[in-house]
Amino acid sequence: MKHKWLLACTMMVIFVLSGCGKTVEEQIDSGIANAENVFKADAEETNKTIGEIKLYVPTRYNVKQSDDLNDSNNLILTKGKDQYLLFVNEHEKADSKLHYELLKKDQTKKIIKEEIIEEDEAFGFTAIVEADEEHYELIVSSGGAKISTITEQKKIDTKLEDMMAIVRSVQLKE
C-alpha cells in the first residue's frame, strides 16, 4: 500500500513539474531516471488480460489486441492521440537482450540517449531515437517485452515511466 501511495505522489509531482517547461533534454534525463526506478521496483500488479497476455495498464490508457489474427503477441495501447505498440516475445526470458541487440544493429536509427538496466537477473533498457526534427521514438524493453511510440517533444519523461511500468508487468497466462 505504501508503495502505491509513494508511486502516486511521485507521479503527481512529475505531472506538475512536466508543466513547468522542461527542455527535451531534461525530459529525457528525467524519463530515463524514472524508468530505471520503475524497473528496479516491484512490478505493478496486472489489471488487464488480452488474449494470452496479462499486464498493467495505467489509468486513461486503452488496450486492444492487434487486428492481425496471426499477430496475437502485439498489443496496441492508446492514450489520447498517442499510440503505443507492445510486442511480447514469449520465447525470451527476463534477461533477454534481443530487443536491445536488434536496436543497436539497426544503422538507420539515430539514438539520442539510451540506458541499460540490469537487476536480479533481469535486463531492460530505455532508448530515445530521433524520428525527425520534432518527433522522437521512445523504446522501452524488459526481457521479451518491448513497447515503443513516436511522440512530439513533450511529456517524454512521463511516457517513459508509464512505458516501463507496462513492460515490467507483462506476464503470459499459464
Side-chain angles (χ1 to χ4, degrees), residues 97-115 125-129 137-141 146:
K97 297 179 181 176
L98 176 68
H99 295 297
Y100 181 71
E101 291 166 354
L102 291 173
L103 172 67
K104 294 301 281 184
K105 284 181 184 177
D106 188 344
Q107 298 297 316
T108 65
K109 302 275 188 187
K110 182 178 178 190
I111 300 171
I112 303 299
K113 189 159 189 176
E114 64 182 270
E115 183 75 27
F125 74 92
T126 304
I128 294 83
V129 177
E137 179 180 10
L138 309 180
I139 305 168
V140 176
S141 178
K146 178 183 91 166

Side-chain angles (χ1 to χ4, degrees), residues 55-158:
L55 72 157
Y56 164 74
V57 178
T59 306
R60 295 186 306 275
Y61 280 76
N62 295 309
V63 62
K64 70 175 188 169
Q65 199 162 17
S66 171
D67 293 333
D68 184 351
L69 295 176
N70 297 323
D71 212 3
S72 63
N73 291 341
N74 282 346
L75 300 180
I76 300 168
L77 291 94
T78 55
K79 180 181 179 189
K81 65 178 183 162
D82 295 322
Q83 181 171 295
Y84 302 81
L85 301 176
L86 174 66
F87 174 74
V88 179
N89 185 334
E90 73 272 12
H91 303 294
E92 298 298 317
K93 298 194 182 313
D95 64 350
S96 173
K97 297 179 181 176
L98 176 68
H99 295 297
Y100 181 71
E101 291 166 354
L102 291 173
L103 172 67
K104 294 301 281 184
K105 284 181 184 177
D106 188 344
Q107 298 297 316
T108 65
K109 302 275 188 187
K110 182 178 178 190
I111 300 171
I112 303 299
K113 189 159 189 176
E114 64 182 270
E115 183 75 27
I116 292 173
I117 313 160
E118 295 182 274
E119 181 85 12
D120 297 329
E121 299 180 24
F123 178 86
F125 74 92
T126 304
I128 294 83
V129 177
E130 184 177 285
D132 61 38
E133 289 182 19
E134 296 179 12
H135 296 90
Y136 295 92
E137 179 180 10
L138 309 180
I139 305 168
V140 176
S141 178
S142 176
K146 178 183 91 166
I147 190 169
S148 63
T149 189
I150 302 291
T151 188
E152 296 174 341
Q153 301 177 6
K154 56 187 173 186
K155 298 185 182 178
I156 291 171
D157 47 357
T158 56

